[in-house]
Amino acid sequence: MNITFLDLSRVNAPHSAALDEVARRVIASGRYIGGPEVAEFERQLSLYQQGGEVVGVSNGLDALRLILEGFKVMGRLKPGDEILVPANTYVASILAISQAGLVPVLVEPSERTLNLDTSLLEKAVTRHTRALMTVHLYGTPCWDEALMETATKHGLLVIEDNAQAMGSQASIKGYNNLPKCGSLGHAAAFSFYPTKNLGALGDAGAVLTHDQELASVIRALANYGSDRRYHNLYVGFNCRMDPLQAAFLAVKLPSLDTENDHRREIAAIYDTHIHHPLVTLHPVEIGISNYHQYVITTPHRDTLREHLAAQGVATDIHYPTPPHLQPCYKTTLGGERLPITEKLARQVLSLPIAPYLSRAEALYVAEAINNF
Ligand SMILES: *Cc1c(COP(=O)(O)O)cnc(C)c1O
């Protein structure tokens, strides 16, 4: 067998006729910036999330940045404020914080959940802490009692980096229904980067918030800071959502839950069939994951990866170098002692998982690991 890590043409193949059709519609419409396609996708995303104001933007990093800039405009954040953020996140979470002139305070993950270790949050709070950016890494909800308690106790703004978690659901004690990730905090950033569970055919992102003022500030900030034509309220950016991508996303959104269900079936196969003394699985403990990635850990990661490649199984690493060890953060964050983050960077391995992957292929991957 030959199993690629992720083949985007196969992800999009079931949608190809509908994608062709809407591309033609957008081309014929003459509306290439903003307009009805973007408004319609914003409406559909809000419905999917069961409410909230959605602002379509250029990508996930810009969505995060606009949330932080929006809170600055509203006087709820100011340069130098500290934001708690998991140390093992994708670098974009940290870039958004530093680009907004805020200070990322890196908190170690749990070796079990691979998500932020929420029991460390309380100790990380200082008199400068104003916000907490939770990242639902690999699609695993990062939301629990300890997180909510710290946020409430210190009046922190809670921002969700929901780039990897569309369709994941958090579990909250005392509530029967499981609220969707991306609708838990004060504001959430979505990414529709092509490899994400809801992927565009280019760059796209969105902000969701229940705060009407924040939504309108962000809408203006993303459009040169302009609240109406030729009137610039803020020193804004150009971070608008491309209507062609909005139209593509509106085609794909109705299939997201089915595609996520399929990913969960593949994950369940991995959960039950992978048995190896040197390989650790990290089953999701609270809530429901969309399995953006299925991640295992092993101290023999690089040799396991080679073994799997020899068996025709492609894998990936999310992420080989943590943000604080990237050259751009050498002088600011490079001195941090983050042993768990660094250990995970050496041990994590992402297995193939996709809406098109067959059960037989998943069983083959599990068997190839068991033969290591
Ligand atoms: C993909 C991703 C982003 C950035 O999204 P883009 O659309 O690529 O800018 C931010 N945070 C996390 C956790 C991501 O996985």
Side-chain angles (χ1 to χ4, degrees):
M1 276 213 210
N2 204 348
I3 303 175
T4 54
F5 182 70
L6 181 65
D7 181 343
L8 290 176
S9 65
R10 282 181 75 188
V11 170
N12 288 317
H15 309 288
S16 88
L19 294 171
D20 281 354
E21 191 184 315
V22 298
R24 263 188 266 275
R25 183 178 76 212
V26 172
I27 292 165
S29 74
R31 278 302 295 269
Y32 308 132
I33 299 289
E37 303 287 349
V38 174
E40 175 58 17
F41 175 68
E42 290 175 344
R43 195 186 66 81
Q44 286 187 23
L45 179 55
S46 170
L47 278 176
Y48 181 83
Q49 293 289 137
Q50 284 143 4
E53 185 92 10
V54 173
V55 183
V57 301
S58 35
N59 56 62
L61 171 59
D62 286 344
L64 286 168
R65 224 159 45 98
L66 286 162
I67 290 169
L68 298 170
E69 293 292 345
F71 280 130
K72 278 165 63 186
V73 164
M74 291 165 70
R76 298 184 67 181
L77 289 175
K78 59 176 190 321
D81 283 350
E82 293 177 0
I83 318 285
L84 305 176
V85 62
N88 64 327
T89 184
Y90 180 55
V91 70
S93 322
I94 318 282
L95 293 176
I97 296 172
S98 19
Q99 284 168 4
L102 305 162
V103 179
V105 173
L106 307 180
V107 182
E108 287 264 64
S110 147
E111 283 193 66
R112 226 179 52 246
T113 67
L114 311 178
N115 256 336
L116 179 71
D117 182 345
T118 56
S119 73
L120 301 175
L121 284 172
E122 196 57 45
K123 272 197 312 233
V125 173
T126 74
R127 62 197 175 84
H128 301 291
T129 311
R130 293 289 173 272
L132 158 62
M133 185 182 288
T134 184
V135 182
H136 310 296
L137 200 66
Y138 311 138
T140 310
C142 184
W143 194 267
D144 64 8
E145 304 277 300
L147 182 149
M148 286 192 286
E149 227 171 87
T150 302
T152 309
K153 182 170 163 196
H154 302 281
L156 305 180
L157 293 169
V158 181
I159 296 150
E160 293 178 80
D161 181 338
N162 198 46
Q164 303 190 0
M166 223 185 133
S168 296
Q169 289 171 268
S171 173
I172 299 174
K173 237 203 199 126
Y175 286 81
N176 285 331
N177 66 330
L178 305 182
K180 286 208 165 101
C181 290
S183 296
L184 306 169
H186 294 94
F190 291 66
S191 166
F192 308 114
Y193 182 79
T195 63
K196 301 290 158 81
N197 288 35
L198 178 64
L201 279 65
D203 275 312
V207 172
L208 185 145
T209 178
H210 286 84
D211 182 329
Q212 294 294 325
E213 187 190 354
L214 180 67
S216 47
V217 169
I218 288 175
R219 210 174 275 289
L221 278 175
N223 187 30
Y224 314 121
S226 165
D227 58 338
R228 55 195 152 87
R229 202 152 188 240
Y230 301 131
H231 185 265
N232 298 79
L233 208 47
Y234 317 115
V235 182
F237 311 93
N238 179 350
C239 298
R240 297 174 299 224
M241 178 181 247
D242 176 352
L244 188 57
Q245 299 306 330
F248 289 151
L249 290 166
V251 164
K252 293 182 69 182
L253 179 57
S255 311
L256 177 65
D257 285 348
T258 313
E259 294 180 355
N260 283 347
D261 283 343
H262 185 87
R263 286 171 178 269
R264 290 181 193 112
E265 279 175 32
I266 300 297
I269 292 173
Y270 289 157
D271 281 342
T272 51
H273 287 86
I274 297 173
H275 299 283
H276 193 288
L278 298 173
V279 172
T280 305
L281 305 186
H282 301 270
V284 173
E285 294 173 5
I286 41 170
I288 301 173
S289 178
N290 68 357
Y291 286 99
H292 173 61
Q293 301 295 353
Y294 188 96
V295 177
I296 61 174
T297 53
T298 171
H300 306 277
R301 193 261 314 274
D302 295 336
T303 37
L304 174 59
R305 195 172 189 212
E306 282 165 29
H307 164 82
L308 291 175
Q311 311 265 312
V313 177
T315 54
D316 207 341
I317 297 169
H318 300 95
Y319 299 94
T321 306
H324 72 287
L325 297 180
Q326 294 291 350
C328 64
Y329 283 123
K330 203 183 166 93
T331 56
T332 47
L333 302 171
E336 301 266 344
R337 271 204 69 251
L338 297 160
I340 298 174
T341 297
E342 292 174 22
K343 181 177 165 191
L344 287 178
R346 291 190 300 268
Q347 298 202 348
V348 288
L349 187 66
S350 305
L351 305 182
I353 191 158
Y356 58 77
L357 205 72
S358 71
R359 299 176 68 85
E361 287 173 313
L363 286 167
Y364 179 85
V365 173
E367 201 50 41
I369 291 170
N370 296 343
N371 291 335
F372 175 49

